[in-house]
Structure formats: structure tokens, C-alpha cells
Amino acid sequence: MSSAPVPLFPSWPAPSEPEVRNRPSGLRGPRIQVRGKFLFAGEEKYFLQGVTYGPFREGEEHLGHPEKVKRDFGLIAAAGFNTVRIYHPPGKWFLDLAAEHGLRVMVTVPWERRVLFLNDRSVRKEIRASVRRAARGGAGHPAILGYYVDNEIPPDLVRWYGPQRVEGFLDSLVRLVKDEDSEALAAYANFPPTEYLLPKETDFLSYNVYLHRGPDLRAYLSRLQNLAEDRPLVLGEFGMDTIRHSEEEQSDLLGLHWGEVFRGGLAGTILFSWTDEWFTDGIDVEDWAFGLVRKDRQPKLVYRNLSTQTLGPRDHLVEKFPLSRIPKVSVVVCSYNGGATLRGCLEALQKVNYPDFEVILVDDGSKDHTQSIAADFPLVKNILQPNRGLSVARNVGMQAATGEIIAYTDSDCMPDSDWLYFLVATLLGSSYAAVGGPNLNPPAKNSVAAAVAACPGAPTHVLLTDTEAEHIPGCNMAYWRSALEEVGGFDGEFRTAGDDVDLCWRLLQAGHRIGFSPSALVWHHRRFTMQAYFRQQKGYGEAEAMLRFKHMQYFDPQGSARWKGVIYGLPRFERVFHRPIIYHGVFGTGFFQCLYPKPASPWAQLVGGLEWNSLTLFVFLVSIQIEPLRILPLLMLAATLIPALSFMVVARIEPQHDTILARLTVFYLALLQPLVRDWARYFTWLKGKRTPESVVQTPEKDAGPSLPLWRSRELAFWSEQGKERISLLEEVEKILEEEGWRYAQDTGWNSWDIQIFANRWWHVRLRTLTEIYPHGRRLTRVHQGIVPSTFSVLFGLTAITADVLVGLSYRSALPAFLAILGLAACGWIWTGWQLRRRVGDLVRVAARRAQLLPLSGKGETR
């Protein structure tokens, strides 16, 4: 606005132009919508900045008289607030005045009686009628933001019924609101004593929270953000009384609160209250004074100070709530045949609100129209390389980056406009080496894509605490460049998946911490077809097997990862049969009655997996001959179907695509997903890592005479200059890399230093020791242990079993079968010894490079 407003009070001068720049002249455009963690008015983010209003003694619906309301709304809008929360359904006159001043209204539908409402049909009917009447009264009005279907159900009442029954009733009220006004938002105003009450169908989560210490508030907001998962979080009430506290204290606290809310990525907050005038339960409240203004509407200090902090429609968080500094960020987008979604990704990156960042596209040998799309974005640094895999592409992006922070997203992702702000804020505000955020589904194009998006197996985060992660998904992660370089970047062995898990584990092993920012979100397209979905799950299974080769300590015997943290986005089946723990306090009196999620249930994973289904098939085959067992495979099959049926029933499918066919598609995909993933994992594990036969058969140059087989198990090397085993291991790794051996390095959890995956039958493990002698001299010993591969063990067990069965059937042929088995075992052992001698030659060459002298068995130099 170009002209300054007329002073509203003689004793308080009119605010300067910047303080009233947000004054709207009326509501325009569409109703407010929910998209991910935020609210939107059209294409603009709508940061909900509200105050509670009323109830008052006089006026209709206890909302005062029109002239008084009009004056109040002028003050509220002048300070930049855009929402008022009221505690009684309003008349049309009230909504018209709100719309005239550019304000939106959040209506709280009061329940008149706090009784055992689920036991009394008449009370339930009365509550439903109140909600329906309120929603019908405001239906379609542009000033209506939405409805709170209730406010703060007493914890004793929730504890009496159990949260599931109360959640179900609240969800039924939400559906009533949608029936009457489909565009209105619906929520429940919760509070800490019933933190665990999480209705499924509300548009956003809302809590009335009164915490006066900044660290406590910050920690609790992080907790609530994770409880909200993919929904926005709004604080429904927050304030400070100025009878027991000074106006300066109130101003400081609400200013701190304002910053914590919007820096923390909440969708908004509502301050309690607009004025000290307050009427409830038939009396005027005189011993509280929470208002931003006094009863006579004279502003308090907090009103003027908050007027400078409110966000206008075109304000950006990075400008309004500046970071301590602005490090340059390099955003790396890796793409392989990602042309279908790449344009949306690059367009979204153009809208990111961060002062200093660059975008680097690494095209990993795409054969589609990726390069023609990249040509339309001249400011994007475009790197084209032959197809070398995802990890190599990410390392190439890191090498080309000029930023202090390197952020990664994928070509099928669309970052939120404040994505970098929240990532960088988390890195700057802590000692984290990396940070990640959630990835949410954008609107699906058809029912198949919507069904795929609702199925298990999507990339997600694993949290150790509310703010610290064990794993962040590769489509949404950022690192300090120094931390990436310290651990050597991404492992090029992971071509399609698993690279992010490997890097996170290596960072943790190096003593670093990984943060999580729940509002640094990206929209991530899931797979568009069922075939693409199964290919993705197959790739994840292969990646799990590859990770197991490198990080054995993180896996159980079946090959499933053992996470220390909580996996977010768990199957709904988990929450039905493995519900979280709730701390209620003694006799249910705790003010903060917290929700503690349990680790993933091993039983839920077991019944859908390949092992269980194989056992079911085996029992079925046996039961054909044994009649009493015939019921058992049916029961086992029923257990297999339960998780898929759970997904089918409770999956969150977009309403426009939620059909019977879509539900059946979810059932089909959820049933086969663990089988596809397990098959790929087992097949990759059994196939094993193998060094090409040509590498193994090529003798080492300058190795000298081959060692006798009996002397290749342990080698010894002498150094007059004090060189130790680390020098030798470095040279061994160099030769392994040069010649193309497949190997793994100790990650700190093993009793060996290097494991060489030599062939289908054997691995070789090197273990080193350095002995210390006088005058700085050193003796380094190398132990070479040969270890049967998993395939080798299974093949041997199968051969022995078959030999025994055949021998029992044809006893006369048993000696011949045993002889054949013995010869095969001798050949197998001989192959292992030969391999150990071959690796011994490699170690001797590495020792020569490290300037170590080989010793004979008697300790004399050779």
C-alpha cells in the first residue's frame, strides 16, 4: 500500500509503512488447501498467522457487535495477522467482515457436554448435529478456513475409551465437515496430555501448547512435527498472561515463539488471545490477561513488536527469519532417462527461495530427451557422461560443485520453495555433518500410480531421535562438503540404490551425526506403473544384499537391515498389531503423555517374506500325504495375506482415484512386494561378489617364485625403517584396485582388515599384526584365512543331503557316493589353497612396494 493509515488511537502513533504492508483489501483467489507440510492459497504459501477472538459477553454467538468487530479486524489485519480462531459458529455478518478485511476464520465447534459421549447415542447425535450445522452455515464462504471439530478432550476420557475409539469418532466428524463444505479444512485442537490422539482424516495436526522456555518449545515442536508426519502442523493456542508476567516478558516470549514456529517449519500458529476481554462459562474472566491488546483495545508492547515479524504474502522465510550466515549450496541432480519428470524438477528448483545456490545436472548417459530439456535451463550446469551408475554420478556432481554445502535430489523430485532454507538452517544450528528431509507423493495421474504411491517399500527416513537420523533418503539430503570428502564420497559400486544407506553408515562410523528437518520436503514421484514398481523393489533388494557384503554388522541372518532408529512411513499393519507405547503418568495425570513408537515387529516382516512363503509351500507339499497337517498351510497362507489386506483396507489413496480396483491393486502389490525384494536380495547374496576369473588366473609380475601351499597361510615382513601394517594394507588395496579384484575393507566391526571375494567358492580374509622391536624396527605378519562363500556352503549341504538320501535308498551304492563326495571335497579344498597362494603373491608384491622385506619361516630374510 502506498499511503499510511490513519492513527487508530491518539496515544499510539500510526505504524510506519513496512509495519502495515500486509494489510489486505479483501479475500481473493481460491480457498486454502493443504499440500504436504504447508497450506497454500493458490500457488502461494499461506503461513497461518492467527489470534483467538472471543468469546465475549455481548453480541450474537458471543462475538460482539459488528462495529466493534470491524474495528478489531482493522487492528488485526494492520499487524499482518491473517486468521482468527473463534469458539462458536459465526453468523454470515461476521464472515463478511472477516472477508472484507482479508481475514480467514477457523471455527471451533464446541461440545456442550463432557460426558461418556460414546456410550450415549443422544449425545453423539447432538455433537454430530452441531458439527453439521456449523459446517453448513459457513459452506462456501471465502472467509472460512476450516473447522476444529472439538477442542481438548480430557485425557481421562480418552484413556477411558482408548485412543482408537476416540480417533474414529473425530474422523467421523471430519467427514461430516467435508460432506457439507468439501473445500473447508478440518482438524482437532489437541493438547499435550493427549499427544497420542492422532485422527487419521484431519487435514492438519493442531496442538494448544504453552511452553515458556525456548529450548523446551523447540524440542517439543520437533516431536510434534514427526507425529504429524506428512501433514501440516499448526499450533492452535499459545500465549502469556500479563498479570503474572510483565508486558516485556510477554513480548519477548511471543517473539521467540514466532521465530521458533516459522524457523521450525510449522504451517502456522494462533496466539491466545486477541484481547484481555474474555467471557466463558457464564462469567467474565478477570484474573487472566493474555491479550495482545487490552480490553479497551489499547495495544500492548507485543502487538507492535509482532507487527514487524508477520509474514506477508510475498515474504520469504530466509528474509524474514535470516540465517546466521548464507553458505553457498550446490544442488546436484542426477538423471538417467529421467526426462519424464526432469522439467518439473528443474522448474521447482528455479523457485527455491535461497540467496546463493547453483544447480548441477549430471546426465548419466541418458538415451531419452534429457539433454533437450536441459537446454531450456541455461543457468543449470549440465554434465553429460557415459552411464556409470548413480554413485559415480553423485561423485561427479560433488567434484563439479563450488558450494560449501552439497545437496542432492533426484530428477523425479520437486523440492519445496523453502527446501534449502530448512536444510541449511539445520546444518548451521547444530554439529551435524549431513541433514535430510521427508519425501512426499505428488498428486497421481491415474489410479495405478495412486495405488503404487500407497504401497510399501518407498524410500524413507530412519530417526534415532526427533531431530537426529540414522538414515536419510538419497532424494533429499545435504552434506557439508568437508564431511563428504572425509569419508571419500559415494561408493561407486552402488549403481542404482543403496548408496545413501552406505554413506550414512560410514558417516556414523566416522563419529559424525546426521540431522533431520521435517519441513525440508521434496515431492517425489513414485513409480507410474506396476512393472516399474517391481523393478524398483528388485533394485532395493539387490542393494540390501550389496550393503550386507560391506556392513555385515547391520544385518540379521536373513539379510534384513537391523535399524537402531524408528522407520517412518511403516506399513499400517505395524500400527494395528504393534502399536506404540503411551506414557500416561501415574493414574493418567501426566501433562505430557508421550507416544513412544516400538521398533518394527519381526513377525510382521516374517509372514510376508520369501522364507515364510517357501515354508508354506513345503508344508503344503508334505500335507498332501499327511492329512492332519492340511489345515496348517491354510493358516500360514492366511497369515501371509493379513499384511496385504491391511494395506488394502487402510491405504491412503487420493480420493479421486480411490476405487475398488485401486484397492485391489494395493493388495496385489503389497502381497508381492516383499517376495520380489527378498528374491532379489537372496539371489544377489547367493550369487556373491566374484573377481573375474581372468584376474585370478593372471600371475603377479615380479612376485618371484610361488610359495609352497603350506607356507601361504601366514606371511611375515621386516622393516628396519619402522614401517607398519597400514603401509602394507594401503599397497594391497592399490593392487586390488589396479587389477580389478572385488573386495571389502574393514568398517571397524570386523576381526579382519580386507576381505577378497575371489570366486564362487571361496573368499580370502587378510588379518595383519605389527610387532615392535628395539631401535624402531617392525615385523608385520599377515594371516590369510580362506572362508567358504554362502553359495559354497549351501551347495555343500545340498550335496551331502542328496548323497545321504540316495545312499539310504541304494545302500549298495553308498560307498561309491561317499567316494565321489570325498573327491569333490578334496578338489574344493585344493581350490581354496591355490587361491590363498595366489593372493599371497599379491601381498608379497604389495610388501615390496611398501619397502618391506619378506621373511622365511625361520625369521631370516629371503
Side-chain angles (χ1 to χ4, degrees):
M1 300 300 171
S2 58
S3 60
V6 177
L8 296 169
F9 298 102
S11 60
W12 186 53
S16 60
E17 176 63 23
E19 293 180 331
V20 296
R21 74 206 182 292
N22 297 330
R23 182 201 294 273
S25 58
L27 292 177
R28 301 184 182 91
R31 304 273 289 276
I32 302 303
Q33 297 177 322
V34 170
R35 298 179 197 166
K37 299 286 289 183
F38 298 100
L39 307 178
F40 282 80
E43 295 304 313
E44 296 290 333
K45 268 188 184 176
Y46 182 84
F47 292 104
L48 193 158
Q49 302 166 96
V51 292
T52 65
Y53 192 78
F56 307 123
R57 176 180 287 277
E58 75 277 1
E60 298 178 32
E61 301 92 20
H62 296 289
L63 292 172
H65 300 300
E67 287 304 315
K68 189 175 184 180
V69 172
K70 185 175 182 179
R71 195 176 188 189
D72 280 340
F73 282 180
L75 279 169
I76 291 171
F81 296 106
N82 56 21
T83 304
V84 291
R85 177 184 176 186
I86 58 177
Y87 295 88
H88 293 86
K92 184 176 182 299
W93 67 271
F94 186 90
L95 297 177
D96 290 343
L97 280 176
E100 180 183 329
H101 289 82
L103 299 174
R104 300 184 190 270
V105 180
M106 194 71 193
V107 181
T108 306
V109 182
W111 292 9
E112 298 300 329
R113 290 187 285 169
R114 289 298 191 195
V115 297
L116 293 179
F117 58 92
L118 293 182
N119 291 3
D120 193 324
R121 183 177 181 181
S122 64
V123 173
R124 295 198 307 273
K125 184 177 179 180
E126 174 187 315
I127 293 170
R128 290 192 174 102
S130 297
V131 172
R132 186 180 293 278
R133 188 164 51 246
R136 183 176 296 166
H141 199 287
I144 286 291
L145 174 63
Y147 299 87
Y148 284 119
V149 296
D150 191 29
N151 183 70
E152 297 184 358
I153 300 177
D156 290 353
L157 202 54
V158 178
R159 188 165 174 255
W160 180 273
Y161 281 126
Q164 297 95 325
R165 293 185 66 190
V166 179
E167 287 171 356
F169 184 70
L170 291 173
D171 281 331
S172 73
L173 300 182
V174 170
R175 291 192 291 271
L176 286 178
V177 170
K178 299 296 184 178
D179 288 342
E180 298 295 336
D181 189 356
S182 61
E183 293 185 332
L185 304 183
Y188 161 67
N190 206 344
F191 65 149
T194 55
E195 170 195 292
Y196 51 85
L197 198 58
L198 302 170
K200 308 298 185 295
E201 298 186 31
T202 56
D203 290 299
F204 58 86
L205 247 60
S206 186
Y207 286 83
N208 303 332
V209 177
Y210 294 82
L211 285 173
H212 288 184
R213 292 186 66 253
D216 295 340
L217 177 62
R218 189 178 309 120
Y220 195 58
L221 293 186
S222 297
R223 178 174 184 79
L224 295 181
Q225 280 278 48
N226 288 320
L227 288 179
E229 292 188 333
D230 60 353
R231 285 181 286 180
L233 173 64
V234 172
L235 293 192
E237 289 179 6
F238 185 93
M240 176 179 270
D241 169 40
T242 56
I243 293 178
R244 296 160 185 82
H245 301 273
S246 68
E247 289 192 12
E248 288 77 11
E249 287 179 288
Q250 183 198 38
S251 179
D252 290 342
L253 175 67
L254 267 62
L256 178 146
H257 165 85
W258 205 258
E260 292 293 347
V261 163
F262 293 108
R263 285 192 179 95
L266 274 70
T269 184
I270 301 172
L271 300 180
F272 184 89
S273 63
W274 164 240
T275 172
D276 289 343
E277 181 183 359
W278 193 31
F279 175 84
T280 188
D281 291 333
I283 60 171
D284 292 305
V285 178
E286 302 289 347
D287 60 343
W288 279 0
F290 279 80
L292 306 183
V293 299
R294 302 181 185 92
K295 290 183 180 180
D296 61 1
R297 303 316 193 256
Q298 289 290 329
K300 297 180 183 178
L301 178 63
V302 64
Y303 176 88
R304 188 180 184 96
N305 288 344
L306 282 179
S307 297
T308 66
Q309 297 184 48
T310 50
L311 285 152
R314 293 177 178 81
D315 285 339
H316 298 153
L317 292 175
V318 71
E319 299 166 352
K320 203 67 179 177
F321 303 100
L323 302 170
S324 58
R325 65 186 184 92
I326 304 293
K328 183 175 182 180
V329 180
S330 297
V331 178
V332 178
V333 180
C334 301
S335 179
Y336 175 67
N337 292 339
T341 55
L342 179 61
R343 184 176 297 278
C345 173
L346 298 180
E347 287 176 348
L349 286 170
Q350 287 186 321
K351 300 174 184 177
V352 168
N353 300 319
Y354 188 80
D356 189 11
F357 75 101
E358 64 178 349
V359 179
I360 301 169
L361 172 65
V362 182
D363 183 352
D364 191 35
S366 297
K367 299 176 182 178
D368 61 1
H369 56 295
T370 291
Q371 281 302 303
S372 64
I373 294 173
D376 294 337
F377 298 87
L379 297 181
V380 173
K381 188 182 295 184
N382 182 17
I383 300 174
L384 177 62
Q385 67 174 26
N387 182 252
R388 299 165 64 192
L390 179 58
S391 291
V392 172
R394 284 182 168 157
N395 285 334
V396 168
M398 177 182 70
Q399 292 157 9
T402 60
E404 189 178 353
I405 295 172
I406 302 177
Y408 290 91
T409 190
D410 293 338
S411 60
D412 57 357
C413 294
M414 297 174 292
D416 176 73
S417 58
D418 295 308
W419 174 56
L420 288 183
Y421 173 82
F422 291 120
L423 290 179
V424 174
T426 303
L427 287 174
L428 291 176
S430 63
S431 58
Y432 297 131
V435 62
N439 63 104
L440 309 181
N441 306 325
K445 296 180 179 179
N446 53 57
S447 60
V448 173
V452 168
C455 284
T460 188
H461 48 282
V462 181
L463 297 188
L464 297 167
T465 68
D466 291 319
T467 57
E468 193 165 340
E470 183 179 4
H471 167 251
I472 49 179
C475 59
N476 186 1
M477 57 186 182
Y479 301 85
W480 289 110
R481 184 190 188 101
S482 56
L484 266 183
E485 292 174 342
E486 178 187 335
V487 297
F490 295 88
D491 187 341
E493 191 168 272
F494 298 95
R495 292 184 59 88
T496 59
D499 56 309
D500 48 357
V501 180
D502 169 64
L503 182 59
C504 287
W505 283 343
R506 286 191 283 126
L507 280 171
L508 294 174
Q509 290 162 7
H512 293 293
R513 297 164 61 226
I514 301 170
F516 181 75
S517 177
S519 295
L521 66 91
V522 300
W523 297 97
H524 184 200
H525 288 286
R526 304 305 189 230
R527 298 305 182 259
F528 297 118
T529 65
M530 289 187 282
Q531 293 83 356
Y533 172 73
F534 285 133
R535 284 197 300 271
Q536 179 196 49
Q537 297 307 309
K538 177 176 177 290
Y540 286 162
E542 292 171 350
E544 286 175 332
M546 293 170 65
L547 285 165
R548 188 180 174 196
F549 283 117
K550 189 173 183 180
H551 302 279
M552 182 73 76
Q553 70 277 11
Y554 287 106
F555 289 86
D556 60 25
Q558 288 74 40
S560 298
R562 292 183 295 193
W563 299 102
K564 297 179 182 178
V566 176
I567 304 173
Y568 279 75
L570 277 177
R572 301 295 187 268
F573 173 75
E574 287 283 344
R575 300 180 183 182
V576 173
F577 295 94
H578 203 60
R579 293 192 63 84
I581 300 170
I582 300 170
Y583 173 76
H584 293 284
V586 179
F587 304 138
T589 59
F591 183 71
F592 288 87
Q593 299 191 15
C594 300
L595 189 73
Y596 294 95
K598 292 182 180 179
S601 168
W603 294 105
Q605 297 179 20
L606 173 65
V607 295
L610 184 64
E611 304 97 327
W612 179 268
N613 282 273
S614 299
L615 181 60
T616 301
L617 178 61
F618 175 77
V619 173
F620 169 73
L621 295 175
V622 173
S623 68
I624 294 174
Q625 301 297 326
I626 306 176
E627 185 173 347
L629 291 180
R630 290 179 184 176
I631 189 64
L632 187 57
L634 295 177
L635 294 175
M636 296 175 71
L637 178 61
T640 300
L641 297 178
I642 288 175
L645 287 170
S646 172
F647 269 99
M648 182 185 73
V649 172
V650 300
R652 294 174 62 182
I653 302 176
E654 295 173 52
Q656 65 270 30
H657 299 303
D658 193 357
T659 63
I660 294 177
L661 181 59
R663 293 279 167 181
L664 292 174
T665 302
V666 170
F667 171 76
Y668 170 72
L669 295 176
L671 183 65
L672 294 187
Q673 181 264 346
L675 299 178
V676 171
R677 196 158 174 164
D678 284 357
W679 178 265
R681 184 172 67 226
Y682 277 110
F683 183 79
T684 303
W685 179 252
L686 291 176
K687 181 181 177 182
K689 289 186 178 182
R690 279 183 284 168
T691 300
E693 189 65 23
S694 59
V695 173
V696 178
Q697 296 299 326
T698 302
E700 292 292 332
K701 296 179 180 178
D702 304 324
S706 293
L707 292 171
L709 287 176
W710 59 87
R711 284 196 45 221
S712 61
R713 186 169 181 267
E714 188 171 306
L715 307 175
F717 304 95
W718 180 261
S719 172
E720 291 285 342
Q721 294 78 28
K723 291 195 174 184
E724 301 190 356
R725 64 190 186 91
I726 301 301
S727 299
L728 175 61
L729 289 172
E730 289 174 350
E731 294 298 333
V732 168
E733 286 194 333
K734 288 180 183 178
I735 296 176
L736 292 173
E737 290 287 347
E738 292 170 3
E739 297 183 3
W741 292 78
R742 305 295 299 278
Y743 72 98
Q745 186 187 70
D746 172 35
T747 55
W749 300 85
N750 305 300
S751 59
W752 44 263
D753 299 313
I754 296 175
Q755 176 166 277
I756 300 171
F757 304 102
N759 57 30
R760 180 185 295 276
W761 306 99
W762 293 102
H763 306 322
V764 180
R765 289 177 178 171
L766 304 182
R767 187 170 69 247
T768 59
L769 166 72
T770 295
E771 298 177 2
I772 301 174
Y773 288 86
H775 310 297
R777 295 176 296 173
R778 300 289 186 268
L779 176 66
T780 296
R781 300 185 184 275
V782 180
H783 178 273
Q784 295 193 123
I786 51 173
V787 182
S789 68
T790 303
F791 175 83
S792 185
V793 172
L794 291 178
F795 185 88
L797 290 174
T798 303
I800 292 172
T801 303
D803 198 55
V804 170
L805 291 176
V806 171
L808 291 175
S809 301
Y810 303 96
R811 296 193 178 186
S812 59
L814 182 60
F817 281 116
L818 290 176
I820 294 172
L821 188 62
L823 289 174
C826 290
W828 176 63
I829 294 172
W830 177 261
T831 301
W833 286 357
Q834 291 279 36
L835 180 63
R836 184 169 61 190
R837 180 165 61 180
R838 167 68 179 86
V839 174
D841 291 343
L842 185 151
V843 172
R844 288 194 297 151
V845 172
R848 184 174 293 111
R849 291 188 183 182
Q851 298 179 354
L852 300 175
L853 298 176
L855 298 182
S856 65
K858 297 180 180 179
E860 300 174 351
T861 58
R862 289 172 56 88

